[in-house]
């Protein structure tokens, strides 16, 4: 199948207009300030105890690995959205993709470094691998297919489990969407039209598979069981919409679509778990 270059990417050709290096350098500078500010802000607000010597403590066994998908998702979305900004400078698509992927990875790095110096956490190699995987998923699709065909997405619903351990799962609703992993679902959405030649399937209509967890009131599985809960994994199958495939001439609408497309559209969903198969008329 012949690949089509998106019309909003500058051509990689000698006839390209000269890139706006002033804007490009300004973006580099803004990112540097943002990274430094994030590092300082997190060190003052997120960590309860004073930072100490650097330690390594891999937490791959916690939260049934759902948090690793969170790292990958965040790195991917930062890579994608940053690349969208870089292409406005007039650099080539390949450069924008590479700069975006690097940004997605390095934006997460200050958090991992601070975790290493925190007596409450420690540096987690699996977190760093997940960060790399997210950036690689974005760059790999763009460089191999000239487009994104598989979109990582996120959805969340509030659960009563947050009331059981609010200090861990969030005291307020603004905290729970970030801390209560029981309400988080990470998805991978793709349209068959992206993979089939001359397909009549609407390119904006996607199938989506998701992963979630339930009854985790502690990071460790055994601890949740000790507290009287039976943790388990959840797998989902649903439909979704790729908002970036809906045609519009408005640059503003396209920008909004790129942001909103990071979220899974509520839709009928089938859930698979050790409890069997269940159907949700609308799941988010």
């Amino acid at each position: 199948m012949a690949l089509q270059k998106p019309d909003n990417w500058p051509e990689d050709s000698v006839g390209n207009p000269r890139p706006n290096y002033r804007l490009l350098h300004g973006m580099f500078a803004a990112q540097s300030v943002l990274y430094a500010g994030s590092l300082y802000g997190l060190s003052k607000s997120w960590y309860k105890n004073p930072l100490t010597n650097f330690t390594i403590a891999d937490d791959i066994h916690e939260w049934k690995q759902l948090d690793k998908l969170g790292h990958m998702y965040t790195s991917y979305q930062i890579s994608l959205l940053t690349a969208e900004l870089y292409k406005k400078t007039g650099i080539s698509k390949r450069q924008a993709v590479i700069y975006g992927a690097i940004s997605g990875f390095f934006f997460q790095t200050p958090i991992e470094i601070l975790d290493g110096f925190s007596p409450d956490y420690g540096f987690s190699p699996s977190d760093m691998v997940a960060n790399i995987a997210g950036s690689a998923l974005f760059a790999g699709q763009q460089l191999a297919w000239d487009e994104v065909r598989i979109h990582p997405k996120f959805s969340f619903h509030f659960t009563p489990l947050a009331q059981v351990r609010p200090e861990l799962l969030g005291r307020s609703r603004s905290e729970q969407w970030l801390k209560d992993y029981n309400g988080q679902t990470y998805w991978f959405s793709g349209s068959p039209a992206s993979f089939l030649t001359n397909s009549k399937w609407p390119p904006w209509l996607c199938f989506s598979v998701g992963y979630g967890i339930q009854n985790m009131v502690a990071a460790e599985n055994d601890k949740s069981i000790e507290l009287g809960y039976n943790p388990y994994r959840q797998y989902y199958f649903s439909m979704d919409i790729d908002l970036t495939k809906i045609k519009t001439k408005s640059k503003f609408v396209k920008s909004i679509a790129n942001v909103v497309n990071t979220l899974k559209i509520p839709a009928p969903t089938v859930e698979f778990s050790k409890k069997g198969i269940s159907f949700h008329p609308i799941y988010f």
Side-chain angles (χ1 to χ4, degrees):
M1 179 176 63
L3 296 176
Q4 294 182 347
K5 185 180 291 293
D7 56 10
N8 55 354
W9 281 105
E11 296 289 336
D12 298 324
S13 65
V14 178
N16 241 7
R18 179 178 174 82
N20 187 338
Y21 288 112
R22 178 177 295 181
L23 178 59
L24 181 63
H25 295 159
M27 287 185 178
F28 286 153
Q31 282 188 308
S32 298
V33 172
L34 181 61
Y35 294 157
S38 298
L39 192 64
Y40 178 80
L42 284 169
S43 66
K44 295 297 183 183
S45 60
W46 181 263
Y47 300 94
K48 299 177 182 178
N49 297 315
L51 302 182
T52 59
N53 295 329
F54 189 85
T55 59
I56 296 177
D58 200 350
D59 58 354
I60 186 71
H61 62 284
E62 296 182 352
W63 301 113
K64 292 189 180 294
Q65 298 78 52
L66 185 74
D67 60 317
K68 306 310 171 200
L69 285 179
H71 280 267
M72 186 184 74
Y73 167 86
T74 303
S75 180
Y76 174 94
Q77 299 299 348
I78 294 174
S79 298
L80 184 149
L81 297 175
T82 306
E84 287 291 317
L85 292 175
Y86 276 127
K87 75 180 183 182
K88 297 182 184 298
T89 67
I91 60 177
S92 70
K93 173 181 178 178
R94 180 177 293 272
Q95 287 176 306
V97 166
I98 292 174
Y99 291 162
I102 292 174
S103 298
F105 169 70
F106 277 107
F107 189 86
Q108 300 274 79
T109 301
I111 301 175
E112 311 306 339
I113 294 175
L114 286 173
D115 281 352
F117 285 104
S118 170
D120 300 316
Y121 300 102
F123 176 83
S124 173
S126 59
D127 284 353
M128 188 64 77
V129 170
N131 295 340
I132 296 173
S135 295
L137 179 61
F138 166 72
Q141 292 189 80
Q142 289 283 10
L143 298 177
W145 296 327
D146 212 32
E147 64 178 351
V148 172
R149 296 183 180 181
I150 301 173
H151 295 268
K153 297 194 176 187
F154 172 80
S155 69
F156 177 80
H157 59 273
F158 294 101
T159 77
L161 292 171
Q163 306 303 319
V164 177
R165 297 194 69 191
E167 74 283 359
L168 178 68
L169 303 179
R171 299 183 184 278
S172 64
R173 289 196 167 228
S174 60
E175 288 184 344
Q176 289 167 17
W177 73 270
L178 181 64
K179 294 184 175 182
D180 186 3
Y181 289 107
N182 300 282
Q184 297 180 5
T185 307
Y186 290 96
W187 304 83
F188 293 91
S189 296
S191 173
S194 297
F195 298 92
L196 301 175
T197 304
N198 300 322
S199 172
K200 294 184 179 180
W201 186 272
W204 50 266
L205 185 59
C206 301
F207 291 116
S208 190
V209 294
Y211 174 64
I213 59 176
Q214 191 57 235
N215 287 343
M216 291 291 290
V217 294
E220 302 84 5
N221 194 72
D222 292 343
K223 179 65 174 179
S224 295
I225 294 175
E226 290 177 6
L227 293 172
Y229 291 83
N230 183 21
Y232 60 93
R233 304 176 190 270
Q234 299 163 304
Y235 303 93
Y236 301 96
F237 180 79
S238 184
M239 303 298 291
D240 191 27
I241 295 175
D242 182 356
L243 298 175
T244 65
K245 290 295 195 306
I246 297 177
K247 295 183 178 180
T248 176
K249 294 182 179 180
S250 171
K251 293 183 179 180
F252 175 76
V253 173
K254 288 181 180 179
S255 297
I256 295 299
N258 280 325
V259 175
V260 178
N261 205 54
T262 63
L263 304 176
K264 166 73 168 61
I265 300 297
T269 300
V270 180
E271 175 188 338
F272 304 87
S273 72
K274 69 178 184 180
K275 290 192 171 183
I277 301 175
S278 57
F279 176 74
H280 304 274
I282 292 292
Y283 181 87
F284 188 71

